[in-house]
């Protein structure tokens, strides 16, 4: 598997498609890894797109270079990782298709690095203007039980003790049944054995709701994001109509924040993992969006 070294990480990634194809970075979510993109990527390759699919920090074979680097799971940190990877691969401009955490990174890249990003697709996660997390209504808070669980020290320790078991609960409950088998989960869950998976997960979720020590190198980006409300990059949002993690209605009504064009589509009978549950529908929508002039 190819890898590049940045100032912070050794990033492992998949790549495919024609070398001269339009570059597309595919960013996976939590709890998932690059396998979530395999069937969508195959369609993109057939459509003559070049794909680069990294393991995010804390996942799979991607590793921190220094042991004393803060394990920062914020969207701005992951966005900088994506830019660093693009720089290492000499990708001046590229499209981004992100699922879940990857969707947050896609929005963040478009907000902070619009000169680098041609188009974005956000899947299963709504845009958050200014990168601000707000307390959800009761119905959504109930779905976020796993975040409140990790706020407890005993909950965090339980997650650290059984990362695959914690992830399996999300796979079992965030989508209608029947979309994966034990073998697929077990293979993907190897990525959750990364020594930093739990630390990155805890920082990403705990830091939304209470102060957490973070990596100071990303503070300038975080400050810029807090002042950025609109996105000028053409955007497609794909929502699963039966998403049991993020209420489908939570991604409605964001058109005004996208000055370069915005479209939202809802996939019926699909939950929180559209690239896995409905890869052809996702690929059709992504290819159409990336092919627009």
């Amino acid at each position: 598997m190819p890898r590049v070294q940045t100032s912070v990480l050794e990033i492992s990634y998949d790549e495919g498609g024609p070398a001269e194809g339009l570059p597309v970075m595919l960013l996976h979510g939590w709890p998932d890894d690059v396998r979530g993109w395999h069937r969508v990527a195959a369609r993109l390759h057939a459509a003559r797109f070049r794909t680069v699919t990294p393991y995010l920090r804390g996942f799979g074979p991607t590793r921190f270079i220094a042991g004393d680097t803060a394990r920062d799971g914020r969207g701005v940190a992951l966005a900088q990782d994506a830019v660093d990877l693009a720089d290492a691969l000499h990708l001046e401009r590229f499209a981004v298709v992100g699922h879940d955490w990857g969707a947050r990174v896609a929005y963040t890249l478009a907000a902070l690095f619009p000169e680098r990003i041609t188009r974005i697709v956000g899947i299963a996660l709504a845009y958050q203007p200014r990168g601000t997390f707000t307390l959800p209504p009761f119905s959504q808070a109930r779905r976020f039980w796993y975040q409140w669980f990790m706020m407890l020290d005993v909950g965090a320790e339980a997650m650290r003790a059984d990362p695959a078991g914690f992830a399996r609960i999300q796979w079992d409950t965030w989508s209608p049944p029947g979309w994966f088998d034990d073998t697929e989960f077990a293979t993907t869950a190897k990525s959750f054995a990364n020594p930093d998976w739990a630390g990155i997960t805890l920082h990403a979720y705990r830091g939304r709701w209470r102060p957490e020590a973070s990596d100071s190198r990303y503070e300038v980006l975080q400050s810029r994001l807090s002042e950025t409300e609109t996105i000028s990059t053409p955007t497609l949002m794909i929502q699963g109509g039966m998403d049991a993690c993020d209420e489908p209605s939570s991604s409605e009504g964001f058109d005004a924040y996208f000055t370069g064009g915005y479209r939202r589509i809802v996939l019926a009978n699909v939950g929180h993992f559209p690239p896995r549950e409905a890869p052809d529908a996702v690929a059709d929508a992504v290819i159409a969006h990336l092919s627009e002039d």
Side-chain angles (χ1 to χ4, degrees):
M1 174 172 291
R3 62 192 64 187
V4 300
Q5 186 165 309
T6 71
S7 61
V8 177
L9 299 172
E10 184 175 80
I11 302 175
S12 295
Y13 63 97
D14 281 347
E15 60 182 345
E20 71 281 3
L22 293 175
V24 182
M25 193 173 291
L26 303 176
L27 301 175
H28 67 78
W30 183 97
D32 207 346
D33 75 356
V34 299
R35 294 180 61 83
W37 290 115
H38 281 180
R39 286 180 287 177
V40 172
R43 288 283 311 280
L44 291 174
H45 301 160
R48 308 298 295 169
F49 290 97
R50 174 190 177 189
T51 65
V52 175
T53 313
Y55 287 87
L56 302 184
R57 54 170 58 197
F59 291 76
T62 290
R63 292 291 187 272
F64 283 86
I65 295 170
D68 60 354
T69 300
R71 273 35 179 181
D72 193 321
R74 290 178 295 174
V76 289
L78 275 65
Q80 185 62 62
D81 293 343
V83 171
D84 291 344
L85 173 59
D87 288 346
L89 298 178
H90 307 291
L91 302 178
E92 183 60 31
R93 283 174 55 78
F94 54 99
V96 182
V97 182
H99 168 241
D100 187 77
W101 279 22
R104 177 169 292 108
V105 179
Y107 297 132
T108 303
L109 286 167
L112 297 179
F113 303 94
E115 73 282 358
R116 301 292 298 274
I117 309 302
T118 58
R119 289 177 173 270
I120 65 169
V121 180
I123 303 175
L125 194 71
Y127 175 53
Q128 292 169 286
R130 301 179 183 270
T132 301
F133 291 93
T134 58
L135 189 68
F138 292 147
S139 59
Q140 180 61 65
R142 179 171 177 266
R143 298 172 185 237
F144 279 173
W145 72 268
Y146 64 101
Q147 298 188 30
W148 318 133
F149 183 84
M150 285 187 281
M151 294 292 288
L152 301 171
D153 290 342
V154 290
E157 288 307 310
M159 186 274 282
R160 285 185 181 276
D162 187 10
F166 191 66
R168 177 63 186 250
I169 295 173
Q170 322 314 327
W171 281 44
D172 284 340
T173 58
W174 283 358
S175 297
W179 64 275
F180 71 96
D181 58 30
D182 290 342
T183 299
E184 180 57 32
F185 176 79
T187 303
T188 303
K190 293 176 182 178
S191 284
F192 314 150
N194 182 302
D196 293 309
W197 188 83
I200 291 295
T201 295
L202 288 170
H203 188 272
Y205 287 114
R206 285 179 150 192
R208 299 177 185 185
W209 311 114
R210 74 183 194 190
E212 289 285 311
S214 300
D215 192 329
S216 61
R217 80 187 77 204
Y218 305 114
E219 290 311 310
V220 171
L221 290 179
Q222 190 68 49
S223 177
R224 286 177 52 207
L225 184 63
S226 71
E227 298 172 354
T228 305
E229 191 165 80
T230 61
I231 286 177
S232 60
T233 305
T235 300
L236 170 68
M237 194 277 162
I238 300 176
Q239 173 70 59
M242 296 186 69
D243 190 330
C245 174
D246 293 278
E247 292 180 321
S249 61
S250 68
S251 63
E252 296 176 348
F254 286 88
D255 306 54
Y257 293 104
F258 295 87
T259 61
Y262 176 78
R263 187 165 70 98
R264 173 181 177 269
I265 63 174
V266 179
L267 301 180
N269 303 314
V270 173
H272 191 70
F273 297 84
R276 288 181 176 272
E277 299 172 61
D280 284 328
V282 169
D284 287 344
V286 169
I287 290 169
H289 179 64
L290 299 183
S291 299
E292 292 179 11
D293 292 332

